DNA sequence: GCCGTTTTCGGCCCGACTGTTTTCAGTCG
């Protein structure tokens, strides 16, 4: 989608301007970029239908930025920004992604040590060059080294949400421009892994040659790595590899199985095939002696022939799923359809960008039975956390519109868990809420014992219902808190609290492994989006994906319950 | 560069934290 490209250009321009100590403009650009990211509609359609006026109606976009967008839509670049990039001494994008480095420090590094890339930076750190610069020191050097490690680890992979958008754009494009019988994504994307390396796609095509032409000439292709009749690889703008394979219909199931992986799962499956006198490949399941194909068209059929229950892609990590499928005892995993509501949503009352009523309307469109409005509590000034009076105004607003919609609205809040483990509103206020999500938003570097005690103390508060983003990690940016998660999960079970599975693509917290670990304690979960805008409500599917990777069933997840059962549970 | 029933000019989320300093700059959320 072109929205993504334009947002990225504005972010980049903001970074460069900030380096040059231009004031306020960077903020304006970023605000506009954020709005464009959150748009429901393709921005080129807005321009086509309503012209410059339409663009200017988007908050944060005025006459100048609208002009830049129009220039980009018409020519594919923005002259002003191109010049800016030329004049800028440094590829900022990379360096400002390093945690601990902002524009000021980057500027110093560029000017004094001629550091332009992360690998330059690594070299300088290893030679202890930077600790001597004013403003830097021993600890900064150590922290930067740690951040470089995280950057490098995550850099060649992208977040699930971004990969999914790209894959779906490719599918839409290919369906529109080529005569296809079938097209699907496979690989780690189909397994809903939290980060994705390459995107793998399979098609059945009547005219493979034409299909490949369409694929390699898509508008967002930056480079064609290889172009064949059965397989092509392109690199999209932004550096993402997409692989397309043309597969005959009679092998489609086998190919989907093979290319979905994981590698370890496939090895386990091939072993099983051999033990049953078969050979399994991406072309099908063959009799070892007869060499005859016994299955290939259907993925389901392959599992059946091997004497297995169908194993959903999210479970294919060789974590015991093959044995359990053989015993016919795989859990019936929770699905997106089971979800009856979203219990962590922000609105304009705090840092959300859509109004309470817009959110409610969207939830109604999604046929949710209920939602919880959970804006930030007062300590969180940066996110416009609500003072008690504002919270009460929100309650009035909820009461006012409740009658007008079918969806039930729970009065909630995302309440900070303060340093000492207490919650950010007094009990009498918490008592007036239908649901309380408690989250840690500060002091991420605390020692293990301190963090564990803080969270356990919060869980002992009778008004807390859900522990929000329980590990606090940000994918590729921040490690989980140092805490004793066994003890936390045990307390959650003991106090009958709920663990959140935060669906935001940069969090996915709890992750699959911690979900599995927590499930052992018999706890309940809630899959929430932590939405900051209406389009964010769609993140739900990523959270459901992680829940499935953690082997959860409908019964494990409280927001599959009916409104009445949920209410009963929250009161108890 | 954007925005306005507190403004068409003068504001723009701002407090906590860290590590550097020796009273504060830079970064984060």
């Amino acid at each position: 989608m072109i929205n993504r490209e334009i947002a990225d250009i504005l972010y980049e321009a903001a970074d460069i301007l900030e380096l040059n100590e231009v004031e306020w403009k960077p903020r304006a650009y970023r605000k506009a970029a954020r709005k464009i990211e959150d748009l429901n509609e393709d921005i080129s359609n807005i321009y086509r239908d309503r012209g410059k006026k339409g663009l200017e109606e988007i908050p944060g976009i005025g006459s100048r930025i609208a002009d830049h967008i129009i220039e980009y839509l018409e020519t594919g670049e923005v002259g002003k920004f191109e010049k800016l990039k030329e004049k800028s001494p440094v590829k900022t994008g990379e360096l400002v992604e390093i945690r601990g480095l902002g524009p000021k420090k980057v500027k110093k590094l560029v000017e004094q040590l001629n550091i332009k890339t992360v690998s330059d930076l690594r070299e300088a750190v290893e030679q202890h060059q930077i600790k001597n610069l004013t403003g830097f020191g021993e600890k900064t050097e150590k922290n930067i080294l740690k951040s470089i490690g995280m950057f490098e680890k995550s850099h060649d992979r992208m977040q699930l949400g971004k990969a999914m958008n790209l894959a779906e754009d490719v599918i839409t494009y290919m369906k529109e421009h080529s005569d296809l019988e079938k097209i699907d994504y496979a690989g780690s994307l189909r397994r809903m892994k939290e980060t994705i390396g390459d995107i793998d796609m399979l098609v059945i095509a009547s005219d493979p040659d034409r299909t490949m032409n369409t694929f390699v000439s898509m508008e967002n292709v930056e480079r064609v790595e290889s172009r064949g009749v059965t397989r092509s690889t392109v690199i999209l703008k932004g550096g993402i590899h997409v692989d397309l394979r043309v597969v005959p219909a009679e092998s489609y199931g086998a190919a989907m199985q093979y290319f979905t992986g994981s590698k370890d799962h496939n090895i386990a499956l091939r072993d099983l095939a051999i033990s049953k006198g078969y050979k399994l490949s991406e072309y099908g399941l063959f009799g070892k002696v007869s060499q005859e194909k016994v299955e290939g068209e259907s993925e389901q059929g392959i599992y059946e022939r091997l004497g297995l229950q169908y194993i959903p892609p999210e479970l294919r990590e060789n974590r015991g799923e093959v044995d359990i499928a053989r015993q016919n005892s795989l859990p019936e995993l929770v699905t997106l359809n089971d979800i009856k509501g979203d219990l962590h949503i922000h609105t304009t009352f705090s840092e959300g960008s859509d109004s309470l009523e817009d959110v409610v309307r969207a939830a109604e469109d999604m046929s949710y039975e209920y939602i919880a409005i959970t804006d930030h509590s007062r300590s969180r000034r940066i996110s416009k956390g609500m003072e008690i009076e504002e919270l009460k105004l929100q309650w009035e607003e909820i009461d006012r519109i409740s009658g007008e919609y079918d969806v039930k609205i729970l009065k909630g809040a995302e309440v900070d868990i303060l340093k000492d483990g207490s919650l950010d509103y007094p009990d009498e206020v918490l008592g007036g809420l239908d649901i309380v999500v408690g989250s840690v938003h500060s002091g991420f570097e605390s020692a293990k014992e301190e963090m564990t005690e803080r969270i356990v103390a919060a869980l002992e508060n009778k008004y807390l219902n859900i522990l929000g983003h329980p590990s606090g990690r940000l994918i590729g940016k921040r490690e989980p808190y140092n805490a004793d998660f066994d003890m936390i999960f045990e307390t959650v079970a003991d106090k009958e609290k709920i663990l959140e599975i935060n669906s935001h693509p940069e969090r996915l917290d709890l992750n699959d492994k911690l979900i599995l670990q927590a499930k052992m304690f018999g706890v309940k979960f809630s899959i929430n989006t932590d939405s900051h805008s209406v389009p964010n409500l769609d993140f739900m599917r990523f959270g459901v994906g992680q829940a499935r990777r953690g082997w959860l069933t409908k019964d494990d997840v409280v927001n599959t319950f009916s409104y009445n059962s949920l209410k009963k549970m929250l009161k108890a």
Side-chain angles (χ1 to χ4, degrees):
Chain A
M1 193 130 130
I2 195 116
N3 295 17
R4 172 82 266 148
E5 286 171 37
I6 291 175
D8 283 344
I9 286 174
L10 288 167
Y11 280 128
E12 197 186 0
D15 284 340
I16 296 174
L17 288 169
E18 198 151 55
L19 266 184
N20 294 316
E21 286 166 67
V22 176
E23 283 193 289
W24 304 117
K25 262 197 224 186
R27 180 175 293 188
Y29 283 178
R30 288 198 183 107
K31 190 175 168 200
R34 258 196 312 277
K35 281 290 167 193
I36 292 168
E37 275 177 319
D38 280 344
L39 239 39
N40 273 319
E41 210 181 335
D42 204 298
I43 199 164
S44 55
N45 292 344
I46 296 178
Y47 178 53
R48 188 196 55 207
D49 296 343
R50 281 176 286 150
K52 187 172 171 187
K53 255 224 150 84
L55 298 177
E56 285 178 352
E57 275 167 20
I58 302 167
I61 296 179
S63 168
R64 314 291 291 272
I65 292 184
D67 283 337
H68 295 327
I69 292 171
I70 293 165
E71 189 183 342
Y72 187 79
L73 290 173
E74 285 172 352
T75 69
E77 60 176 43
V78 183
K80 187 173 163 185
F81 294 166
E82 293 300 319
K83 260 185 227 153
L84 201 61
K85 259 194 279 186
E86 248 170 64
K87 274 198 293 182
S88 165
V90 61
K91 280 295 273 180
T92 55
E94 207 171 271
L95 288 174
V96 290
E97 274 179 54
I98 300 291
R99 203 181 152 74
L101 288 187
K104 300 274 168 63
K105 285 203 159 121
V106 167
K107 191 168 195 281
K108 227 174 246 180
L109 290 168
V110 175
E111 283 173 354
Q112 302 196 23
L113 293 174
N114 195 29
I115 287 168
K116 292 191 170 151
T117 64
V118 172
S119 64
D120 291 349
L121 182 64
R122 176 180 272 285
E123 212 172 296
V125 169
E126 280 165 356
Q127 292 168 7
H128 302 294
Q129 284 179 11
I130 70 166
K131 70 173 176 192
N132 299 322
L133 300 180
T134 48
F136 292 77
E138 199 89 30
K139 283 208 171 155
T140 310
E141 192 169 88
K142 270 196 192 123
N143 288 338
I144 288 178
L145 192 59
K146 214 166 111 193
S147 301
I148 292 175
M150 288 212 66
F151 174 86
E152 287 173 344
K153 214 169 77 185
S154 68
H155 194 238
D156 45 353
R157 300 183 70 82
M158 84 192 105
Q159 289 170 7
L160 172 62
K162 194 172 170 194
M164 188 64 84
N165 283 339
L166 281 169
E168 287 175 346
D169 284 351
V170 171
I171 288 175
T172 309
Y173 183 91
M174 291 300 292
K175 276 185 177 161
E176 269 172 26
H177 294 87
S178 179
D179 185 26
L180 299 178
E181 255 175 70
K182 219 166 165 22
I183 177 162
D184 289 292
Y185 54 82
S188 50
L189 183 58
R190 186 163 175 241
R191 302 202 312 282
M192 297 290 265
K193 267 197 84 165
E194 60 190 38
T195 60
I196 308 297
D198 303 333
I199 298 174
D200 296 303
M201 304 202 131
L202 301 180
V203 294
I204 301 175
S206 49
D207 184 348
D209 201 50
R210 245 191 67 206
T211 298
M212 284 306 185
N213 276 342
T214 308
F215 179 64
V216 299
S217 52
M218 288 186 301
E219 33 194 42
N220 58 341
V221 168
E222 183 159 292
R223 194 150 56 90
V224 179
E225 190 103 313
S226 68
R227 191 321 188 170
V229 192
T230 60
R231 178 187 168 183
S232 297
T233 304
V234 298
I235 298 169
L236 300 185
K237 285 178 190 162
I240 293 97
H241 286 64
V242 186
D243 237 40
L244 185 75
R245 289 183 164 81
V246 175
V247 175
E250 61 270 22
S251 299
Y252 197 74
M256 279 300 280
Q257 198 290 311
Y258 181 86
F259 289 109
T260 296
S262 67
K263 201 173 168 189
D264 288 339
H265 172 85
N266 286 356
I267 290 172
L269 221 56
R270 284 203 291 274
D271 278 352
L272 180 66
I274 290 167
S275 76
K276 298 208 169 222
Y278 294 116
K279 186 190 74 149
L280 179 62
S281 75
E282 67 259 51
Y283 300 105
L285 187 67
F286 299 87
K288 191 132 210 199
V289 186
S290 66
Q291 300 282 317
E292 210 169 286
K293 184 178 343 190
V294 295
E295 188 56 69
E297 198 177 336
S298 137
E299 191 179 38
Q300 183 120 24
I302 288 171
Y303 284 96
E304 259 168 41
R305 279 281 185 167
L306 292 171
L308 299 173
Q309 258 179 304
Y310 176 73
I311 303 178
E314 295 92 336
L315 294 187
R316 301 183 194 170
E317 299 290 344
N318 199 30
R319 290 175 179 160
E321 70 277 8
V322 175
D323 277 342
I324 293 171
R326 188 151 46 173
Q327 296 155 22
N328 211 24
S329 342
L330 287 179
E332 196 170 314
L333 301 180
V334 61
T335 67
L336 188 57
N337 263 334
D338 294 330
I339 301 295
K340 292 203 168 70
D342 192 336
L343 300 179
H344 186 167
I345 301 174
H346 297 276
T347 71
T348 44
F349 273 92
S350 64
E351 63 181 338
S353 58
D354 288 310
S355 71
L356 200 152
E357 191 153 7
D358 284 344
V359 166
V360 172
R361 206 173 292 126
E364 185 121 318
D365 289 343
M366 295 169 84
S367 305
Y368 276 159
E369 195 180 327
Y370 49 81
I371 54 168
I373 300 300
T374 54
D375 278 302
H376 283 291
S377 60
R378 55 188 177 180
S379 280
R380 219 169 139 67
R381 320 268 356 149
I382 168 72
S383 309
K384 295 196 275 176
M386 292 181 295
E387 294 296 340
I388 293 168
E389 306 80 71
E390 292 173 86
L391 183 63
K392 295 201 167 151
L393 281 178
Q394 187 177 60
W395 293 352
E396 283 172 23
E397 169 91 358
I398 290 174
D399 289 336
R400 188 178 67 76
I401 65 174
S402 274
E404 295 170 32
Y405 296 91
D406 290 333
V407 59
K408 305 271 197 309
I409 311 167
L410 295 167
K411 290 172 188 155
E414 183 181 16
V415 182
D416 269 38
I417 297 174
L418 303 175
K419 273 249 148 119
D420 60 358
S422 65
L423 299 183
D424 192 24
Y425 287 131
D427 281 359
E428 56 269 28
V429 174
L430 296 174
L433 290 163
D434 299 317
I435 187 166
V436 173
V437 179
S439 306
V440 170
H441 285 126
S442 61
F444 305 115
E445 305 289 335
S446 301
K448 187 168 183 177
E449 219 166 73
E450 199 180 322
M451 185 58 95
T452 309
E453 272 171 23
R454 175 179 179 186
I455 293 174
V456 166
L459 288 168
E460 277 163 0
N461 185 311
K462 70 170 181 170
Y463 294 109
L464 185 142
N465 302 113
I466 299 179
L467 180 61
H469 42 75
S471 85
R473 65 101 173 245
L474 294 176
I475 295 174
K477 286 208 178 120
R478 188 170 72 210
E479 298 283 4
Y481 319 129
N482 194 5
D484 182 345
F485 285 104
D486 275 340
M487 184 178 279
I488 290 169
F489 295 157
E490 202 181 330
T491 312
V492 168
D494 187 43
K495 302 282 174 194
E496 298 186 338
K497 304 296 187 187
I498 300 161
L499 285 171
E500 179 173 77
I501 297 173
N502 190 299
S503 309
H504 200 292
E506 66 183 27
R507 289 193 182 270
L508 297 178
D509 180 8
L510 299 170
N511 70 7
D512 52 356
K513 284 189 187 133
L514 284 170
I515 293 169
L516 280 165
Q517 190 179 330
K519 189 182 155 102
M520 308 284 274
F521 290 88
V523 306
K524 296 282 185 213
F525 300 84
S526 175
I527 309 174
N528 302 331
T529 61
D530 201 350
S531 281
H532 288 63
S533 67
V534 164
N536 285 176
L537 292 169
D538 287 331
F539 290 160
M540 185 59 79
R541 56 182 175 155
F542 304 127
V544 170
Q546 301 317 297
R548 289 168 64 85
R549 289 177 61 79
W551 295 60
L552 297 191
T553 66
K554 197 175 156 179
D555 289 341
D556 295 319
V557 179
V558 300
N559 51 329
T560 66
F561 297 178
S562 69
Y563 176 71
N564 287 336
S565 321
L566 178 74
K567 271 298 252 186
K568 216 178 285 169
M569 183 176 170
L570 292 173
K571 265 202 190 129

